[in-house]
Amino acid sequence: AISCQIPENWIDVSNIRQVPDNQECWMNKETDGLFIVEILERQSAVADAVAANYFFDDLAECNGVPGSARQFLIQPELLQISGLPDSAVLCFGTGSQRVAMGRESDITGNPRTQEIRQVRYELCAMRLPSVRTDLLVTLSTPDDPNPQDTGGGSLQPSDVFKRALSSFVYLTGVYSERNEE
């Protein structure tokens, strides 16, 4: 099990829409920012040194963002997280992507014009080989809605992201064998 502190003004997205079982997701209603904790199958073919970049590129591909509309910077280790197994590796990075916001059509099937926004991403991949898991923590924040914006803003980790990660606690031994059946 894991726990972390999310700012009080962020809401649980599962109260608004369906969230995949392997995710926890919170949203800042003022900024449309999303804080996501995702449990993934370990990508053993991906080297630790490029894991954050791998997950960023995977996200960009899911968003349909070409390489020319994204940038990424691998960050040095920002902090330690309590209770992680000795074999755990933390991989950090920040980047931005030009993303089409919203849906392609409304609820009646009529086409909609999608707004293109520059979205800033902060990632921490917690690589947990002992349990064959990659735990991905992502903070995404849309920037100014200017469609001419090409990014280039600061790629330094935000205080919100650093505070949430510094409160992270990985709890071992929480589940008994009976609960794993």
Side-chain angles (χ1 to χ4, degrees):
I2 56 174
S3 70
C4 76
Q5 295 178 354
I6 306 298
E8 288 183 26
N9 61 333
W10 291 61
I11 60 171
D12 185 341
V13 173
S14 66
N15 293 330
I16 300 170
R17 64 173 166 81
Q18 192 168 10
V19 173
D21 290 342
N22 68 320
Q23 290 182 359
E24 295 294 332
C25 183
W26 296 268
M27 180 177 75
N28 181 328
K29 292 193 308 185
E30 295 171 13
T31 66
D32 291 331
L34 291 173
F35 185 82
I36 301 171
V37 178
E38 189 170 10
I39 301 170
L40 303 168
E41 181 178 349
R42 178 153 168 78
Q43 298 298 310
S44 57
V46 177
D48 292 340
V50 295
N53 196 80
Y54 169 84
F55 289 114
F56 177 79
D57 285 345
D58 184 58
L59 177 64
E61 288 175 22
C62 290
N63 287 335
V65 178
S68 62
R70 58 184 160 182
Q71 61 179 335
F72 190 76
L73 176 65
I74 294 174
Q75 298 285 345
E77 190 167 317
L78 296 174
L79 46 89
Q80 296 295 316
I81 295 177
S82 301
L84 289 177
D86 291 340
S87 61
V89 176
L90 299 178
C91 310
F92 299 94
T94 55
S96 65
Q97 301 176 9
R98 289 180 47 79
V99 178
M101 305 297 281
R103 298 193 172 138
E104 293 178 4
S105 58
D106 63 21
I107 59 173
T108 61
N110 297 318
R112 291 178 20 168
T113 303
Q114 290 184 300
E115 178 183 18
I116 304 296
R117 303 237 349 233
Q118 193 71 27
V119 178
R120 172 185 160 77
Y121 291 92
E122 301 174 64
L123 291 97
C124 174
M126 296 180 206
R127 311 214 67 202
L128 306 168
S130 62
V131 290
R132 297 184 304 271
T133 300
D134 285 327
L135 186 64
L136 183 62
V137 180
T138 308
L139 174 63
S140 63
T141 310
D143 287 338
D144 183 353
N146 177 358
Q148 305 305 314
D149 185 7
T150 59
S154 172
L155 291 180
Q156 295 305 308
S158 68
D159 288 339
V160 169
F161 191 64
K162 289 190 284 189
R163 274 194 303 270
L165 283 178
S166 66
S167 73
F168 232 84
V169 178
Y170 178 83
L171 306 167
T172 57
V174 171
Y175 300 105
S176 68
E177 290 179 18
R178 188 173 29 146
N179 290 337
E180 294 176 2
E181 294 176 356

